[in-house]
Amino acid sequence: MYTKIPATITRILLNHFKWDKEKLMERFYDGDQDKLFKDAHVINPFRKQSIALKPKIKKSRTEDCEICYSTFPPSMMTGLECGHRFCTQCWQEYLTTKIVEEGLGLSIACAAHGCDILVDDVTVMRLVQDARVRLKYQHLITNSFVECNRLLRWCPSADCTYAIKVQYVDPRPVVCKCNHVFCFECGENWHDPVQCRLLKKWIKKCDDDSETSNWIAANTKECPKCNVTIEKDGGCNHMVCKNQNCKHDFCWVCLGSWEPHGSSWYNCNRYDEDEARAARDAQEKLRSTLARYLHYYNRYINHMQSLKFEHKLYAAVKEKMEEMQQHNMSWIEVQFLKKAVDILCQCRQTLMCTYVFAYYLKKNNQSQIFEENQKDLETATETLSEYLERDITSENLADIKQKVQDKYRYCEKRRKVLMDHVHEGYEKDWWEYTN
């Protein structure tokens, strides 16, 4: 059956269903059409004659605008399919406010109080005359189209205005026209071998104040009487709580009362002292948890910072390539340097992500193999980075070229070994994760 729906309404319906055509067609033909149009905030085009309000035209052939309460000829009044009509100037001011101040695009409702019928894009473009407002509206509806469409995603690279379209949604790398590579599923820089959910969890953990709390917990203690947090700022282990209502004297080391420490009852040196054992164990656990987090975080950040420097290395490599051409080498012969930097950046990106993967990974035989692969790749990557930062002279030219080529090939090989092992683990369910 062929059904003709105005293009303006079709766009609103598609936007309502996040541009999922199959879902829209299913609801349209198999569901309650009245409810469909109501949920999408549009007038049913097949029943609009019975729903729309009739214009209140006076005998003098004029209408009253219910916003500014002025009287206008019908030609200066505009309304939607719902029948609510207002003067052109009031519509322009209303739409401009919604677009410029509220940043609304396809979700602008009728100006009538309590009416949720949406203003279609053709009506907005007809009524708004200001070129800047029209341009912003076009940007808003374009952005809304991309964000609502699950097969589209804006490139996250700074200052890039391109969007990527895929045939199906999957956690895989996509390359923008600006050459930025990112994960279509989550929008982050491509992060193989770590999965999207773990990377998201890691980023939240790094941004969260919970690690600050861990530092406080690892470097401070609570008064055993009133539980006020205390930081030790001197060498003496005799602590006096600063809480004016407490003033409890206790030992920083064992958290026991200070009074026995100056008598024959002193037993702070005993590890299994009942009074303080639980407190010490809690402190040690917090320190251990923090130390483990910092181990992976510091290496993650180190590779992230190194990656930024490696990107700057391209400029230096270009100069080296020009210098090498001065030593009777052709343009093709010096391309090995650019290839080396490309592989170096890939290895840095991979290593950075392996520390996220490793942080959540439970120990088993396969995790030990992963760590060995990680170590081999890291060692080779650092050596390659060192080679590329050396000064190239006519004396060491041949030696450096051979070393760089050998090392980047080895890095490429070790990176593939690591990635293949992790992917095999995903397929065979080798990996178990901590909470």
Side-chain angles (χ1 to χ4, degrees):
M1 181 178 69
Y2 177 75
T3 304
K4 184 172 179 60
I5 299 177
T8 52
I9 294 180
T10 302
R11 283 192 287 272
I12 293 175
L13 289 174
L14 282 167
N15 191 67
H16 177 69
F17 284 97
K18 298 187 181 300
W19 292 85
D20 188 331
K21 293 181 290 185
E22 289 74 19
K23 190 174 181 180
L24 170 57
M25 296 292 284
E26 181 183 348
R27 280 286 305 275
F28 183 81
Y29 287 110
D30 300 336
D32 183 342
Q33 289 189 6
D34 286 335
K35 187 176 187 306
L36 166 66
F37 289 110
K38 182 179 179 182
D39 290 344
H41 305 296
V42 292
I43 295 294
N44 186 334
F46 308 113
R47 300 191 180 187
K48 63 182 181 182
Q49 297 298 330
S50 61
I51 297 175
L53 299 174
K54 294 183 179 180
K56 298 177 181 178
I57 302 176
K58 300 179 180 180
K59 291 182 179 180
S60 58
R61 305 297 299 170
T62 59
E63 293 182 60
D64 291 335
C65 173
E66 295 184 6
I67 293 179
C68 65
Y69 295 104
S70 298
T71 301
F72 298 92
S75 61
M76 295 183 65
M77 298 286 286
T78 299
L80 306 178
E81 297 295 347
C82 57
H84 296 119
R85 292 166 60 82
F86 307 100
C87 71
T88 303
Q89 184 177 351
C90 284
W91 268 115
Q92 290 175 348
E93 293 177 0
Y94 171 75
L95 293 172
T96 299
T97 300
K98 291 293 181 181
I99 295 166
V100 176
E101 296 183 12
E102 299 182 27
L104 297 180
L106 290 175
S107 57
I108 302 176
C110 173
H113 178 70
C115 182
D116 62 359
I117 297 302
L118 297 179
V119 186
D120 63 83
D121 54 328
V122 173
T123 300
V124 173
M125 294 300 288
R126 176 168 55 83
L127 290 171
V128 175
Q129 300 300 314
D130 190 313
R132 291 175 298 177
V133 180
R134 289 164 65 95
L135 181 61
K136 179 164 185 180
Y137 178 72
Q138 289 174 325
H139 286 164
L140 287 169
I141 59 176
T142 301
N143 189 57
S144 175
F145 170 69
V146 173
E147 291 183 354
C148 284
N149 194 321
R150 61 191 182 89
L151 299 178
L152 289 170
R153 182 182 280 276
W154 290 113
C155 173
S157 181
D159 302 322
C160 181
T161 57
Y162 290 113
I164 300 286
K165 183 179 181 180
V166 296
Q167 297 300 316
Y168 57 91
V169 178
D170 198 37
R172 59 192 173 94
V174 290
V175 184
C176 179
K177 286 186 178 180
C178 70
N179 293 322
H180 181 64
V181 183
F182 65 97
C183 174
F184 188 85
E185 176 78 13
C186 66
E188 297 291 340
N189 290 344
W190 180 233
H191 48 75
D192 203 19
V194 67
Q195 295 175 330
C196 296
R197 64 179 184 85
L198 290 180
L199 181 66
K200 183 178 179 180
K201 189 175 179 181
W202 171 261
I203 292 173
K204 184 178 185 302
K205 183 176 182 63
C206 293
D207 293 340
D208 199 12
D209 287 337
S210 62
E211 294 313 320
T212 302
S213 300
N214 279 350
W215 183 92
I216 293 173
N219 292 276
T220 64
K221 296 183 180 181
E222 294 180 347
C223 169
K225 185 176 180 181
C226 71
N227 295 322
V228 167
T229 301
I230 296 174
E231 180 183 6
K232 188 170 183 280
D233 59 0
C236 179
N237 289 319
H238 179 191
M239 309 301 295
V240 180
C241 180
K242 296 296 184 181
N243 184 352
Q244 296 298 316
N245 297 322
C246 179
K247 296 288 187 179
H248 179 58
D249 291 75
F250 64 96
C251 172
W252 175 263
V253 178
C254 71
L255 298 179
S257 176
W258 182 256
E259 186 177 355
H261 286 65
S263 68
S264 59
W265 297 102
Y266 175 78
N267 59 0
C268 182
N269 60 313
R270 295 184 181 180
Y271 176 78
D272 61 346
E273 181 185 8
D274 293 338
E275 184 179 0
R277 184 191 306 165
R280 288 200 303 274
D281 287 349
Q283 289 289 320
E284 288 303 319
K285 184 176 180 181
L286 286 168
R287 286 194 182 92
S288 176
T289 301
L290 179 60
R292 181 178 182 277
Y293 166 74
L294 291 176
H295 170 86
Y296 293 101
Y297 175 78
N298 288 336
R299 285 155 181 77
Y300 168 82
I301 289 296
N302 176 63
H303 283 296
M304 179 185 289
Q305 292 173 340
S306 294
L307 184 60
K308 293 177 181 178
F309 289 124
E310 312 305 15
H311 282 305
K312 293 180 180 179
L313 190 60
Y314 279 106
V317 161
K318 184 179 179 182
E319 293 181 6
K320 288 184 179 182
M321 290 169 68
E322 292 173 353
E323 181 182 345
M324 292 176 75
Q325 290 179 71
Q326 301 299 320
H327 293 95
N328 300 320
M329 295 185 72
S330 68
W331 181 85
I332 294 177
E333 289 177 313
V334 301
Q335 289 304 302
F336 78 93
L337 274 177
K338 182 180 181 303
K339 173 77 170 177
V341 180
D342 289 341
I343 292 174
L344 178 61
C345 290
Q346 291 174 6
C347 291
R348 288 287 187 202
Q349 182 69 29
T350 298
L351 285 166
M352 185 177 80
C353 295
T354 60
Y355 280 104
V356 180
F357 178 72
Y359 176 75
Y360 292 106
L361 197 62
K362 282 187 178 180
K363 298 290 183 182
N364 59 27
N365 291 338
Q366 294 299 331
S367 72
Q368 292 178 358
I369 296 174
F370 163 76
E371 288 177 345
E372 285 299 316
N373 290 334
Q374 184 188 44
K375 181 183 72 173
D376 290 345
L377 177 60
E378 195 162 41
T379 303
T381 299
E382 296 303 340
T383 304
L384 177 60
S385 181
E386 184 180 349
Y387 285 162
L388 290 171
E389 291 179 5
R390 290 184 180 179
D391 292 329
I392 296 177
T393 63
S394 56
E395 289 77 18
N396 68 0
L397 191 57
D399 179 54
I400 285 293
K401 178 180 179 181
Q402 191 60 51
K403 284 184 176 180
V404 169
Q405 287 179 318
D406 290 344
K407 190 55 64 177
Y408 80 59
R409 290 182 186 125
Y410 182 74
C411 285
E412 217 170 12
K413 178 182 176 182
R414 295 311 307 172
R415 179 173 176 270
K416 185 178 186 305
V417 168
L418 183 148
M419 302 291 266
D420 288 347
H421 178 249
V422 175
H423 292 159
E424 185 180 2
Y426 285 136
E427 293 173 3
K428 297 182 178 179
D429 292 328
W430 289 342
W431 313 125
E432 295 180 3
Y433 305 102
T434 59
N435 294 329

Tab-separated table of all heavy atoms in Angstrom, residues 206-224:
chain	number	residue	atom	x	y	z
A	206	CYS	N	39.697	7.604	36.277
A	206	CYS	CA	40.778	8.593	36.254
A	206	CYS	C	40.254	10.005	36.517
A	206	CYS	O	40.944	10.827	37.118
A	206	CYS	CB	41.501	8.549	34.911
A	206	CYS	SG	42.420	7.025	34.625
A	207	ASP	N	39.037	10.287	36.039
A	207	ASP	CA	38.450	11.622	36.217
A	207	ASP	C	37.775	11.790	37.567
A	207	ASP	O	37.538	12.913	38.012
A	207	ASP	CB	37.422	11.898	35.117
A	207	ASP	CG	38.077	12.021	33.751
A	207	ASP	OD1	39.298	12.267	33.707
A	207	ASP	OD2	37.382	11.863	32.738
A	208	ASP	N	37.468	10.679	38.185
A	208	ASP	CA	36.698	10.699	39.429
A	208	ASP	C	37.560	11.143	40.601
A	208	ASP	O	38.776	10.958	40.615
A	208	ASP	CB	36.135	9.301	39.702
A	208	ASP	CG	34.976	9.351	40.693
A	208	ASP	OD1	34.489	10.453	40.963
A	208	ASP	OD2	34.574	8.298	41.180
A	209	ASP	N	36.926	11.706	41.607
A	209	ASP	CA	37.636	12.114	42.816
A	209	ASP	C	37.911	10.949	43.751
A	209	ASP	O	38.493	11.134	44.817
A	209	ASP	CB	36.832	13.179	43.582
A	209	ASP	CG	36.869	14.521	42.873
A	209	ASP	OD1	37.807	14.746	42.106
A	209	ASP	OD2	35.955	15.322	43.108
A	210	SER	N	37.485	9.747	43.336
A	210	SER	CA	37.655	8.597	44.221
A	210	SER	C	39.131	8.319	44.482
A	210	SER	O	39.509	7.883	45.563
A	210	SER	CB	37.003	7.364	43.603
A	210	SER	OG	37.617	7.032	42.377
A	211	GLU	N	40.000	8.590	43.501
A	211	GLU	CA	41.425	8.335	43.719
A	211	GLU	C	42.030	9.366	44.670
A	211	GLU	O	42.982	9.073	45.377
A	211	GLU	CB	42.155	8.336	42.373
A	211	GLU	CG	41.749	7.203	41.464
A	211	GLU	CD	41.724	5.854	42.175
A	211	GLU	OE1	42.619	5.578	43.006
A	211	GLU	OE2	40.808	5.065	41.907
A	212	THR	N	41.459	10.579	44.678
A	212	THR	CA	41.892	11.551	45.685
A	212	THR	C	41.536	11.043	47.062
A	212	THR	O	42.322	11.150	48.015
A	212	THR	CB	41.211	12.915	45.436
A	212	THR	OG1	41.528	13.356	44.119
A	212	THR	CG2	41.673	13.941	46.446
A	213	SER	N	40.349	10.448	47.152
A	213	SER	CA	39.934	9.869	48.427
A	213	SER	C	40.855	8.730	48.829
A	213	SER	O	41.173	8.561	50.011
A	213	SER	CB	38.490	9.356	48.320
A	213	SER	OG	37.615	10.400	47.986
A	214	ASN	N	41.298	7.946	47.836
A	214	ASN	CA	42.232	6.866	48.133
A	214	ASN	C	43.547	7.404	48.681
A	214	ASN	O	44.142	6.824	49.582
A	214	ASN	CB	42.506	6.031	46.876
A	214	ASN	CG	41.409	5.018	46.615
A	214	ASN	OD1	40.543	4.816	47.467
A	214	ASN	ND2	41.430	4.401	45.449
A	215	TRP	N	44.000	8.531	48.090
A	215	TRP	CA	45.249	9.121	48.578
A	215	TRP	C	45.082	9.577	50.025
A	215	TRP	O	45.946	9.358	50.864
A	215	TRP	CB	45.640	10.325	47.709
A	215	TRP	CG	46.967	10.917	48.127
A	215	TRP	CD1	48.188	10.604	47.653
A	215	TRP	CD2	47.169	11.908	49.151
A	215	TRP	NE1	49.158	11.321	48.300
A	215	TRP	CE2	48.562	12.140	49.228
A	215	TRP	CE3	46.320	12.607	49.996
A	215	TRP	CZ2	49.108	13.046	50.115
A	215	TRP	CZ3	46.874	13.517	50.892
A	215	TRP	CH2	48.247	13.737	50.943
A	216	ILE	N	43.956	10.217	50.292
A	216	ILE	CA	43.701	10.675	51.666
A	216	ILE	C	43.669	9.486	52.614
A	216	ILE	O	44.247	9.520	53.705
A	216	ILE	CB	42.370	11.461	51.730
A	216	ILE	CG1	42.500	12.771	50.953
A	216	ILE	CG2	41.959	11.724	53.166
A	216	ILE	CD1	41.198	13.535	50.809
A	217	ALA	N	43.005	8.411	52.157
A	217	ALA	CA	42.902	7.230	53.019
A	217	ALA	C	44.259	6.587	53.252
A	217	ALA	O	44.526	6.058	54.331
A	217	ALA	CB	41.941	6.225	52.387
A	218	ALA	N	45.133	6.639	52.227
A	218	ALA	CA	46.434	5.996	52.357
A	218	ALA	C	47.433	6.848	53.132
A	218	ALA	O	48.393	6.326	53.690
A	218	ALA	CB	46.994	5.683	50.971
A	219	ASN	N	47.215	8.168	53.158
A	219	ASN	CA	48.188	9.061	53.798
A	219	ASN	C	47.681	9.705	55.078
A	219	ASN	O	48.378	10.516	55.683
A	219	ASN	CB	48.602	10.167	52.809
A	219	ASN	CG	49.399	9.613	51.640
A	219	ASN	OD1	50.602	9.430	51.726
A	219	ASN	ND2	48.709	9.316	50.547
A	220	THR	N	46.485	9.403	55.472
A	220	THR	CA	45.930	9.926	56.722
A	220	THR	C	45.309	8.782	57.514
A	220	THR	O	45.154	7.674	57.009
A	220	THR	CB	44.842	10.987	56.443
A	220	THR	OG1	43.750	10.369	55.770
A	220	THR	CG2	45.376	12.132	55.600
A	221	LYS	N	44.964	9.069	58.751
A	221	LYS	CA	44.297	8.085	59.603
A	221	LYS	C	43.178	8.770	60.363
A	221	LYS	O	43.152	10.007	60.467
A	221	LYS	CB	45.285	7.440	60.576
A	221	LYS	CG	46.384	6.634	59.887
A	221	LYS	CD	47.303	5.943	60.886
A	221	LYS	CE	48.377	5.149	60.151
A	221	LYS	NZ	49.275	4.430	61.086
A	222	GLU	N	42.256	7.974	60.851
A	222	GLU	CA	41.140	8.525	61.606
A	222	GLU	C	41.379	8.363	63.096
A	222	GLU	O	41.915	7.344	63.550
A	222	GLU	CB	39.837	7.819	61.214
A	222	GLU	CG	39.407	8.081	59.792
A	222	GLU	CD	38.124	7.362	59.438
A	222	GLU	OE1	37.730	6.472	60.217
A	222	GLU	OE2	37.517	7.695	58.412
A	223	CYS	N	40.977	9.376	63.820
A	223	CYS	CA	41.064	9.293	65.281
A	223	CYS	C	40.236	8.093	65.743
A	223	CYS	O	39.065	7.972	65.369
A	223	CYS	CB	40.525	10.589	65.900
A	223	CYS	SG	40.301	10.484	67.702
A	224	PRO	N	40.818	7.181	66.523
A	224	PRO	CA	40.088	5.980	66.939
A	224	PRO	C	38.905	6.259	67.864
A	224	PRO	O	38.072	5.386	68.085
A	224	PRO	CB	41.154	5.142	67.649
A	224	PRO	CG	42.218	6.105	68.039
A	224	PRO	CD	42.214	7.187	67.017
